[in-house]
């Protein structure tokens, strides 16, 4: 785990039940000051519920939330030094861009001239044209509204900023731009960001650490690299993109066996455990072989289909009932044609054994 | 072929809509024409035009007091109905609470009560409670029917209100009251506005409830009816025209005010 700064936010056994459903279940987490922490997980896994508790819009059923080591469970949202950017953005439709950004300052009775100055600074920082100051916010484009929402939150000058999937409704190209800008703003302000997304890519690009949620539980926390290369469960590895998952059993030291494929595979000696397990091989670590000797593990299959993914090409290879994904760079030579018999393989250090859950 | 089909269809649409509009507006226009007679009696078509009855009516003290009573009732009803309707609409469409479904059904029921029966029932109540009938009891009677209408009109707007706006305001440090004043109220303003137009106009033109509950005070619709039954003069259509015109002016003024309101909001860059 990366060396963490002083914790700003700590969650101790936090749980939130709606009726009999535990939307958030026994979450323990510590978020460092200035960290960009991202929560990912499928729909309904409790991400929004968790962040709403952190922002003060929902109270935990049990457990404690600590800000700078002080319990804030019962502190209402308007007394917390935190601010949230909503998925709907929740911009005030009856207000101009400037009035939206200045809202928090107006609430604090800041002098109008000072307010305007601050709003204009933020607009400049977020690349909003200066003449938008008196434009009605409902007339702004999606990307502009996004920036206004961020500016409004920054004007509050919170210690922690929460984001609940703010970019989910935005098209791919603009989303990429805004992701970069958000990361820049994180650098410039040095504030703590807690970010929710569905998108693995978004999480990988922006975060210092990622937490994966599943059915209300936080099942793994780590740097993007850790989550990507050493997932602890089948669920996490599959959530992190296309992978090949082979259910296996232990088969002596340094070896596992797949019932369905009728084959044994070499694995790093220290990784074998007794529990039900899966062998995970990423498509980019699988390669086409000319002879079985070229890799320590190999399988024979039929080249079934191919997909161009920009700089890479992904192939589907059928081995018995199972479909394997193999990826190679476009410029690497490969002469296989569809329906050809092909040989695929990988080396033990490129596969991971994970729990089958 | 398809071109001529197209134009035939357009002609039919034009004829149809014109016929419906005639059907709806012609009667009111007749009142205007009937008011411009020089004769003493109700005849149609008119043989001699004249505006004597207009000046007589406008200068009559009785008519002024009638208009004043109708106006007072409508104004008071509007204020109270808007307050009741606003919070009623929040309960109707904004908050989840036990009994909401039941409330949603029952609050709308009075809209469909036959008004004359409602008026009679209220008359019985006022007598039982020992109230002296006056324009004030009429206000209460109007409210029984108008408050639900206003609640419904406002609830339609409240449904489109995004609750995360209030959360965002609170999150930015606003207290409950500041959130209400800075966000909830202004965002719902158009609904409040159309609700008050409804309240005013429905009260201004109401006859069946007023008939039973105004007592010695008299309103315009009630007076029109009484005069029509006994003692017709062309002052009746004059007054009818004035009453309708007043409603039209309020409606049109409201429309313009609404346009200005939304235009100001969308202050162009
Ligand atoms: N106010 C509520 N009342 C009852 N159940 C709720 C409430 N809010 C959330 N839930 C339930 O809690 C679970 C978690 O919901 P939550 O919105 O936190 O998920 P999420 O991870 O944010 O999902 P998504 O990615 O779709 O936004 C869901 O099953 C949801 O139906
Ligand atoms: Mg959510």
């Amino acid at each position: 785990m990366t060396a963490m700064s002083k914790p700003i936010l700590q969650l101790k056994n936090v749980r939130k039940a709606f009726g009999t459903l535990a939307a958030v279940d026994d979450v323990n987490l510590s978020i460092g000051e200035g960290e960009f922490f991202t929560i990912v997980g499928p729909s309904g896994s409790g991400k929004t519920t968790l962040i709403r508790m952190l922002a003060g819009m929902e109270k935990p059923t049990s457990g404690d939330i600590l800000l700078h080591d002080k319990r804030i469970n019962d502190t209402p949202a308007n007394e917390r030094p935190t601010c949230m950017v909503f998925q709907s953005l929740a911009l005030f439709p009856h207000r101009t861009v400037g009035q939206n950004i200045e809202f928090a300052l107006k609430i604090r009775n800041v002098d109008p001239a000072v307010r305007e100055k601050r709003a204009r600074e933020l607009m400049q920082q977020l690349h909003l044209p200066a003449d938008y100051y008196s434009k009605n916010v409902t007339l702004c484009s999606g990307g502009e509204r996004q920036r206004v929402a961020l500016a409004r939150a920054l004007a509050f000058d919170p210690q922690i900023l929460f984001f609940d999937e703010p970019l989910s409704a935005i098209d791919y190209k603009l989303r990429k731009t805004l992701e970069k800008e958000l990361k820049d703003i994180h650098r410039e302000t040095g504030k703590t960001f807690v970010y929710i997304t569905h998108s693995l890519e978004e999480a990988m690009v922006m975060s210092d650490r990622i937490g994966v949620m599943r059915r209300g539980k936080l099942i793994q926390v780590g740097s993007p690299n850790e989550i990507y290369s050493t997932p602890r469960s089948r669920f996490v590895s599959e959530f992190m993109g296309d992978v090949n998952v082979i259910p296996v059993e232990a088969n002596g030291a340094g070896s596992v066996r797949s019932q369905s494929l009728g084959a044994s595979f070499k694995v790093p000696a220290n990784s074998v455990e007794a529990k039900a397990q899966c062998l995970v091989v990423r498509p980019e670590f699988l390669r086409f072989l000319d002879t079985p000797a070229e890799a320590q593990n190999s399988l024979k299959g039929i080249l079934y289909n191919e997909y161009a993914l920009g700089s890479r090409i992904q192939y589907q290879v059928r081995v018995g009932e199972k479909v394997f994904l193999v990826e190679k760079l476009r410029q690497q030579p490969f002469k296989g044609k569809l329906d050809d018999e092909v040989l695929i393989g990988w080396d033990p250090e490129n596969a991971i054994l994970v729990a089958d859950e | 072929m398809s071109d001529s089909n197209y134009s035939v269809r357009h002609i039919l649409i034009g004829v149809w809509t014109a016929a419906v509009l005639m059907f709806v507006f012609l009667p009111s226009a007749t009142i205007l024409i009937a008011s411009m007679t020089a004769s003493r009696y109700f005849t149609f078509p008119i043989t001699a035009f004249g505006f004597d009855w207009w000046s007589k009516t406008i200068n009559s003290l009785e008519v002024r007091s009638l208009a004043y009573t109708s106006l007072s009732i409508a104004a008071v009803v509007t204020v109270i109905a808007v307050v009741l309707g606003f919070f009623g609409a929040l309960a109707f469409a904004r908050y989840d609470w036990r009994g909401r479904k039941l409330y949603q059904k029952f609050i709308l029921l009075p809209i469909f009560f036959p008004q004359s029966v409602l008026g009679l029932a209220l008359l019985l109540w006022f007598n039982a409670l020992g109230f002296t009938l006056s324009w004030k009891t009429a206000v209460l009677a109007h409210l029984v029917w108008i408050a639900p209408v206003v609640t419904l009109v406002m609830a339609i707007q409240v449904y489109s209100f995004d609750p995360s706006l209030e959360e965002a305001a609170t999150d930015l440090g606003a207290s409950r009251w500041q959130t209400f004043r800075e966000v909830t109220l202004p965002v719902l303003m158009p609904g409040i506005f159309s609700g008050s137009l409804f309240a005013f106009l429905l009260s201004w033109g109401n006859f069946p409830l007023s008939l039973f509950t105004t007592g010695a005070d008299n309103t315009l619709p009630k007076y029109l009816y009484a005069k029509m039954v006994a003692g017709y003069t062309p002052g009746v259509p004059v007054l009818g025209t004035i009453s309708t015109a007043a409603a039209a002016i309020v409606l049109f003024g409201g429309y313009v005010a609404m346009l200005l309101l939304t235009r100001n909001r969308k202050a162009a860059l």
Side-chain angles (χ1 to χ4, degrees):
Chain A
M1 193 177 284
T2 47
M4 217 175 65
S5 50
K6 203 159 112 254
I8 183 166
L9 197 61
Q10 290 171 76
L11 287 78
K12 305 224 151 113
N13 307 100
V14 171
R15 197 181 124 88
K16 175 74 187 182
F18 293 112
T20 54
L21 173 94
V24 170
D25 199 359
D26 201 26
V27 166
N28 288 284
L29 177 66
S30 181
I31 294 174
E33 227 170 312
E35 193 174 14
F36 197 130
F37 190 90
T38 302
I39 301 167
V40 295
S43 192
S45 57
K47 307 181 293 294
T48 298
T49 309
L50 181 64
I51 215 168
R52 284 173 60 84
M53 286 192 282
L54 301 183
M57 289 157 210
E58 210 90 64
K59 269 193 189 175
T61 310
S62 61
D64 288 326
I65 301 171
L66 284 76
L67 181 75
H68 293 302
D69 300 321
K70 273 217 288 294
R71 187 174 178 277
I72 54 162
N73 285 32
D74 303 315
T75 312
N78 56 351
E79 289 167 23
R80 294 191 190 189
T82 62
C83 198
M84 174 131 143
V85 177
F86 290 76
Q87 177 162 19
S88 67
L89 299 184
L91 294 172
F92 304 130
H94 57 300
R95 295 287 162 85
T96 62
V97 168
Q99 289 170 331
N100 262 280
I101 298 174
E102 289 170 20
F103 186 85
L105 302 175
K106 184 173 176 202
I107 292 297
R108 287 180 205 154
N109 284 318
V110 174
D111 181 66
V114 180
R115 284 190 331 224
E116 176 165 351
K117 185 164 165 286
R118 180 70 187 128
R120 288 190 180 281
E121 281 167 15
L122 283 164
M123 287 174 67
Q124 194 175 10
Q125 189 179 9
L126 292 169
H127 313 294
L128 282 163
D131 55 357
Y132 273 40
Y133 182 81
S134 49
K135 181 172 177 156
N136 183 277
V137 76
T138 55
L139 302 177
C140 293
S141 74
E144 288 157 5
R145 288 157 50 79
Q146 203 73 50
R147 295 184 172 108
V148 176
L150 182 55
R152 185 179 71 175
L154 286 171
F156 179 79
D157 196 23
Q159 295 178 20
I160 308 179
L161 267 143
F162 299 112
F163 299 85
D164 189 356
E165 307 199 39
L167 302 183
S168 59
I170 290 199
D171 70 76
Y172 184 80
K173 231 182 122 198
L174 182 57
R175 199 166 71 224
K176 291 284 131 200
T177 314
L178 291 171
E179 279 171 12
K180 289 223 176 70
E181 283 184 22
L182 201 61
K183 199 159 180 187
D184 293 345
I185 294 291
H186 178 245
R187 285 290 308 220
E188 285 163 29
T189 59
K191 291 183 187 303
T192 309
F193 280 28
V194 180
Y195 193 94
I196 291 184
T197 177
H198 262 100
S199 155
L200 157 83
E201 220 183 322
E202 216 168 280
M204 299 294 276
V205 170
M206 298 196 292
S207 334
D208 295 321
R209 280 193 308 154
I210 298 174
V212 184
M213 282 195 82
R214 182 191 194 192
R215 297 204 205 109
K217 288 201 153 51
L218 195 59
I219 55 173
Q220 189 170 357
V221 177
S223 70
N225 194 32
E226 280 165 348
I227 298 276
Y228 186 79
S229 52
T230 54
R232 279 210 292 268
S233 62
R234 174 184 187 147
F235 176 82
V236 174
S237 66
E238 282 178 336
F239 197 77
M240 291 288 133
D242 288 335
V243 287
N244 298 296
V245 178
I246 314 166
V248 292
E249 296 139 23
N251 185 28
S255 173
V256 293
R257 179 165 179 81
S258 158
Q259 221 36 280
S260 57
L261 293 169
S264 300
F265 306 114
K266 293 202 180 70
V267 293
N270 55 4
S271 65
V272 182
E273 287 171 26
K275 269 206 301 186
Q277 285 181 323
C278 287
L279 192 62
V280 174
V281 193
R282 296 204 168 273
E284 64 268 31
F285 288 130
L286 266 176
R287 55 185 200 271
F288 293 105
L289 311 174
D290 292 324
T291 64
E294 285 173 29
Q296 296 191 46
N297 296 311
S298 66
L299 284 166
K300 206 178 280 175
I302 304 290
L303 190 60
Y304 182 70
N305 218 338
E306 66 174 44
Y307 309 95
L309 309 174
S311 60
R312 292 162 302 135
I313 302 179
Q314 188 180 74
Y315 298 89
Q316 280 190 359
V317 176
R318 289 204 158 175
V319 179
E321 294 287 290
K322 190 159 175 61
V323 177
F324 280 83
L325 299 174
V326 184
E327 265 176 38
K328 69 167 195 61
L329 291 175
R330 188 178 282 282
Q331 65 266 32
Q332 284 170 345
F334 177 60
K335 294 193 290 292
K337 293 191 294 296
L338 297 189
D339 296 326
D340 279 359
E341 195 176 80
V342 291
L343 202 58
I344 55 175
W346 71 95
D347 292 319
E349 66 271 21
N350 288 332
I352 327 151
L353 272 173
V354 299
D356 186 12
E357 56 184 28
Chain B
M1 169 74 191
S2 71
D3 244 19
S4 72
N5 265 351
Y6 184 76
S7 59
V8 166
R9 190 179 332 138
H10 268 234
I11 290 167
L12 283 177
I13 291 174
V15 170
W16 172 260
T17 48
V20 170
L21 288 177
M22 287 264 280
F23 178 72
V24 173
F25 282 101
L26 201 58
S28 300
T30 330
I31 289 289
L32 174 64
I33 298 166
S35 72
M36 295 188 287
T37 183
S39 114
R40 172 77 182 72
Y41 303 102
F42 188 57
T43 51
F44 201 80
I46 289 164
T47 43
F49 283 92
F51 286 97
D52 276 5
W53 287 105
W54 272 84
S55 59
K56 268 188 209 158
T57 310
I58 288 169
N59 291 325
S60 140
L61 283 179
E62 191 186 12
V63 164
R64 290 190 179 183
S65 120
L66 288 172
Y68 182 74
T69 309
S70 281
L71 196 65
S72 311
I73 296 176
V76 177
V77 164
T78 303
V79 172
I80 301 177
V82 162
V83 174
L84 291 177
F86 181 72
F87 293 104
L90 289 181
F92 193 101
R94 168 73 175 82
Y95 297 104
D96 240 337
W97 49 286
R98 196 194 299 263
R100 174 179 168 200
K101 282 257 152 56
L102 217 59
Y103 164 75
Q104 285 177 336
K105 294 195 180 84
F106 276 100
I107 190 65
L108 297 187
L109 225 46
I111 299 174
F112 306 107
F113 288 170
Q115 284 190 53
S116 42
V117 180
L118 187 61
L120 188 62
L122 284 161
L123 173 61
L124 294 174
W125 264 103
F126 293 146
N127 281 340
L129 293 170
F131 288 4
T132 313
L133 296 182
S134 70
W135 69 272
K136 290 173 199 158
T137 44
V139 165
L140 286 178
H142 283 198
L143 279 173
V144 171
W145 187 66
I146 289 173
V149 176
V150 174
T151 305
L152 179 66
V153 169
M154 290 185 179
I156 291 166
Q157 161 116 53
V158 175
Y159 266 120
S160 64
F161 181 82
D162 175 6
S164 64
L165 291 182
E166 284 179 350
E167 284 183 341
T170 309
D171 194 38
L172 289 162
S175 65
R176 227 168 239 264
W177 164 244
Q178 284 170 321
T179 301
F180 182 77
R181 197 191 56 202
E182 297 287 332
V183 176
T184 317
L185 200 59
V187 171
L188 293 177
M189 204 36 115
I192 294 170
F193 201 81
S194 44
S196 51
L197 273 185
F198 265 85
F200 186 89
L201 293 174
L202 290 177
S203 169
W204 174 258
N206 188 281
F207 168 66
L209 292 169
S210 298
L211 178 66
F212 289 98
T213 55
T214 47
D217 290 335
N218 218 346
T219 67
L220 276 177
K222 202 175 146 187
Y223 176 84
L224 283 179
Y225 174 75
K227 271 293 190 190
M228 197 61 228
V229 172
Y232 177 84
T233 68
V236 171
V238 170
L239 208 51
T241 307
I242 291 174
S243 173
T244 308
I249 288 167
V250 169
L251 198 59
F252 185 72
Y255 178 70
V256 171
M258 195 80 150
L259 275 188
L260 290 177
L261 196 78
T262 42
R263 178 154 325 153
N264 274 349
R265 278 185 179 194
K266 303 211 164 160
L269 82 156

